Amino acid sequence: MPQRLSLSRAPSFRSQARLAVGLGLTAGLLGLCAIASLGWGAVDIAPRTMWDALWNFDPSSREHLIIRTVRLPRFLVGTAVGAALGVAGGIMQGLTRNPLASPGILGINAGASLAIVVATLGLGAVSTSTSVTFAFLGAGLSAMTVYIVASLGGRSVTPLKLTLAGATLAALLSAIVSGLLVLNQRTLDDIRFWLAGSLAGRDLQTVWQGLVGIAVGLAIALLLGKPITVLNLGDDIARSLGQATGRVKAIAVATVALLAGSSVAIAGPIGFVGLVVPNAVRLFVKSDYRWILAFSALFGAIALLLADLGARTLVPSGELPVGTVVALFGAPFFIYLVRWKVG
């Protein structure tokens, strides 16, 4: 019976072909977003000039310098962080079978942020690689704390209990961060824009340090697609199919901590991407997490790049933090989920 159930939920060959075509079209849309991200802004740059800046760099050209030193790092950060947050949210929703699960809602981003603030207060300015390490530890501790709190009382861990525990922990950790920054104005000045979530002000060296953790996390996450799909059938069925459920969950939680922690380290605590994107993907990919995670990576990158374009064009005299723009669109979707999916 378990074998028949698992096979019945697997997409047919025709469905697989449609999903493959859809994935290719989504990758093409990401390419268009890349052109827009590199070309649009305070100074619009033609595609031919962008190509020359990437492959025939001329340091005396103002447009080439803008591409290489400002927009290329920003595009790489937006693509990587968007993909990481989309996949992290997909993994969390698959593990918990909770449509409200995401790094922001369950307090993982807040834990990573607190760890980085503590590191900055204690060590002064820290490198991106050091920030990633502290953020990974903070994110992992937050994930474990949320699960322990949600499991108190001896009853099963429900989606509602996880959400309440995560929201409570996120509020507590955010309050601690605010208190620490009030006590140290210099640190507040250094990381104020980062705390709101931003893709600006990153150089290529900083970007590459942060992208290592995200690349490793994404590679592991894509290998977790099939095990998470089996877990969605229930722990008993997964074990009957020979899956080591405890090991899969541990690896998945560590992967989420790595993805979310690395993202927070290089772009700040950007919320809602990990919540909205996987839920949107499941509108056309119902249960196969091999496809859900792949689509979540692409749509997460697209969503953050579009939000960044809005952040630098909505205000003529300056720019908004990208986290603010994401929240403007993500908050209504969160209300929709609470009202129609959970409530």
Side-chain angles (χ1 to χ4, degrees):
M1 183 65 178
Q3 293 280 0
R4 187 178 305 164
L5 178 61
S6 64
L7 289 173
S8 67
R9 296 185 63 173
S12 65
F13 176 79
R14 184 174 297 179
S15 297
Q16 296 268 15
R18 284 198 298 264
L19 289 172
V21 171
L23 196 67
L25 293 174
T26 307
L29 180 58
L30 178 58
L32 294 177
C33 290
I35 294 173
S37 178
L38 292 172
W40 293 354
V43 177
D44 291 338
I45 299 175
R48 177 57 186 270
T49 306
M50 288 189 295
W51 180 265
D52 288 339
L54 293 174
W55 303 108
N56 300 296
F57 178 59
D58 179 5
S60 64
S61 169
R62 176 170 172 261
E63 288 82 4
H64 286 203
L65 286 172
I66 291 173
I67 293 293
R68 279 294 192 96
T69 62
V70 178
R71 294 187 185 171
L72 179 59
R74 193 166 184 152
F75 160 72
L76 292 174
V77 171
T79 301
V81 170
L85 293 177
V87 169
I91 292 174
M92 295 180 70
Q93 291 168 20
L95 279 181
T96 62
R97 296 186 284 278
N98 178 6
L100 297 180
S102 74
I105 300 299
L106 295 191
I108 293 177
N109 282 354
S113 299
L114 176 59
I116 291 176
V117 169
V118 170
T120 305
L121 285 171
L123 304 176
V126 295
S127 66
T128 301
S129 56
T130 302
S131 295
V132 169
T133 301
F134 275 93
F136 171 72
L137 295 175
L141 288 173
S142 295
M144 288 188 291
T145 302
V146 167
Y147 186 84
I148 291 171
V149 171
S151 61
L152 293 177
R155 298 180 180 179
S156 61
V157 178
T158 65
L160 181 59
K161 290 174 69 175
L162 273 174
T163 303
L164 290 175
T168 302
L169 181 65
L172 173 62
L173 296 180
S174 297
I176 294 173
V177 168
S178 298
L180 291 174
L181 293 177
V182 166
L183 297 176
N184 193 309
Q185 184 66 35
R186 178 177 171 276
T187 302
L188 174 60
D189 293 339
D190 289 343
I191 66 174
R192 181 188 287 115
F193 207 66
W194 170 84
L195 276 173
S198 174
L199 308 184
R202 309 294 186 268
D203 58 38
L204 282 176
Q205 182 178 0
T206 300
V207 170
W208 292 127
Q209 290 176 353
L211 293 188
V212 172
I214 291 178
V216 173
L218 289 175
I220 298 173
L222 294 179
L223 296 176
L224 288 171
K226 184 176 180 179
I228 292 176
T229 301
V230 176
L231 275 177
N232 257 253
L233 302 174
D235 286 1
D236 292 339
I237 293 177
R239 280 192 288 267
S240 72
L241 293 173
Q243 184 173 106
T245 57
R247 183 173 61 186
V248 170
K249 290 179 180 179
I251 295 173
V253 170
T255 302
V256 169
L258 180 59
L259 290 171
S262 299
S263 299
V264 170
I266 62 175
I270 298 174
F272 293 108
V273 174
L275 173 70
V276 172
V277 169
N279 278 290
V281 168
R282 276 197 300 275
L283 293 176
F284 57 91
V285 184
K286 299 301 182 182
S287 60
D288 190 335
Y289 274 82
R290 292 172 295 182
W291 292 102
I292 289 174
L293 295 182
F295 275 103
S296 293
L298 293 178
F299 277 115
I302 289 169
L304 200 53
L305 289 177
L306 291 177
D308 183 52
L309 282 173
R312 43 175 142 143
T313 56
L314 290 176
V315 180
S317 59
E319 98 172 40
L320 295 170
V322 70
T324 302
V325 178
V326 171
L328 290 175
F329 296 95
F333 190 83
F334 176 68
I335 295 172
Y336 160 77
L337 285 176
V338 173
R339 176 65 181 85
W340 297 106
K341 298 294 186 181
V342 177

